[in-house]
Amino acid sequence: GFQDTSGKMIIPPIFNGALSFSEGLALVADTIKSHTGIKIGYIDHTGRYCIPPIYDYGYDFREGKAAVSKVTRKIPYILQILRSKIDGD
């Protein structure tokens, strides 16, 4: 979960894992109900997904971009660059 500077819980600990916020988004690992395993997505400061958990690997945002990849049957890894769409970033 995520707490503010006073220790108040802002986003409950509902994810399998999470990294710190970077450029307004936090990478989170979430178990998908379709039994596809743990997937990576990005949430905002309210806990809402801005980028859905559809990726197998991911990195923090830096300069408005984050590298993510999906494992597929035809191509081992697909690398995509995501752009932050958070106002003010």
Side-chain angles (χ1 to χ4, degrees):
F2 293 89
Q3 299 177 338
D4 65 13
T5 55
S6 70
K8 178 182 174 188
M9 184 66 65
I10 305 252
I11 301 171
I14 58 172
F15 304 105
N16 295 83
L19 297 179
S20 297
F21 279 89
S22 174
E23 298 188 17
L25 297 174
L27 180 150
V28 295
D30 199 0
T31 303
I32 305 302
K33 293 178 183 174
S34 66
H35 306 292
T36 59
I38 293 177
K39 296 293 182 181
I40 301 297
Y42 296 84
I43 61 170
D44 64 14
H45 286 281
T46 67
R48 182 183 63 87
Y49 275 105
C50 291
I51 298 168
I54 59 172
Y55 300 99
D56 296 302
Y57 302 97
Y59 297 90
D60 283 341
F61 272 85
R62 297 283 182 252
E63 298 180 10
K65 298 176 184 176
V68 294
S69 64
K70 286 184 176 182
V71 176
T72 66
R73 290 184 182 164
K74 294 181 181 178
I75 302 170
Y77 295 97
I78 298 172
L79 183 66
Q80 296 181 340
I81 302 297
L82 303 173
R83 294 187 185 271
S84 175
K85 294 183 179 179
I86 303 292
D87 291 337
D89 283 350

